[in-house]
């Protein structure tokens, strides 16, 4: 039951996000929408931390770990910006169809650029 509810919640929130993004892009630019999405995410995260407390690390991040976290953040930022730009330029169905192929293209790019191979546990 819980998994079913989580799947329904996931698709319902995705539908709301796509619909509101498409509507918002009629009155603003993709960068403005991306900024609003990040501001909302930071606000929600701050509220969650205020109510539940911040997770504690056993040790400070090393320089290499900090660099990795920054790369991941940049990757997500570009993903949001490019998705919003795509919604502004194309129909929602085309954008979502292309985004559905993202896991496959990620694996191909990880192999081509980093030499990584997928393992059954990942």
């Amino acid at each position: 039951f819980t998994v079913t509810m989580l799947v329904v919640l996931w698709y319902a929130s995705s539908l709301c996000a796509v619909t509101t993004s498409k509507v918002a892009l009629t009155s603003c630019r993709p960068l403005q929408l991306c900024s609003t999405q990040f501001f909302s995410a930071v606000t929600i995260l701050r509220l969650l931390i205020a109510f539940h407390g911040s997770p504690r690390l056993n040790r400070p991040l090393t320089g290499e770990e900090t660099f990795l976290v920054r790369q991941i953040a940049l990757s997500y930022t570009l993903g949001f910006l490019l998705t919003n730009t795509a919604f502004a330029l194309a129909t929602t169905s085309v954008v979502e169809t292309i985004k559905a192929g993202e896991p496959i293209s990620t694996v191909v790019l990880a192999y081509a650029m980093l030499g990584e191979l997928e393992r059954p546990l990942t």
Side-chain angles (χ1 to χ4, degrees):
F1 176 74
T2 303
V3 172
T4 303
M5 291 304 294
L6 289 173
V7 168
V8 169
L9 179 63
W10 175 264
Y11 281 103
S13 63
S14 177
L15 177 66
C16 289
V18 168
T19 304
T20 56
S21 293
K22 195 68 175 170
V23 169
L25 286 168
T26 61
S27 62
C28 69
R29 295 182 177 177
L31 185 58
Q32 292 169 317
L33 178 58
C34 192
S35 299
T36 303
Q37 289 169 328
F38 280 126
F39 176 76
S40 301
V42 167
T43 302
I44 291 169
L45 181 61
R46 292 273 182 184
L47 289 172
L48 287 172
I49 288 173
F51 287 117
H52 298 288
S54 177
R56 301 287 178 224
L57 296 176
N58 294 335
R59 59 177 174 69
L61 293 177
T62 65
E64 185 177 322
E65 291 168 335
T66 302
F67 182 69
L68 180 62
V69 168
R70 287 181 179 162
Q71 285 181 317
I72 292 169
L74 179 63
S75 172
Y76 273 94
T77 301
L78 290 174
F80 272 106
L81 186 58
L82 292 173
T83 298
N84 290 336
T85 303
F87 280 138
L89 299 175
T91 63
T92 304
S93 59
V94 170
V95 173
E96 289 298 323
T97 301
I98 292 171
K99 281 180 61 179
E102 181 184 7
I104 296 168
S105 61
T106 300
V107 170
V108 170
L109 287 173
Y111 175 74
M113 296 174 72
L114 305 173
E116 291 185 2
L117 296 174
E118 284 298 309
R119 293 177 179 82
L121 295 177
T122 58

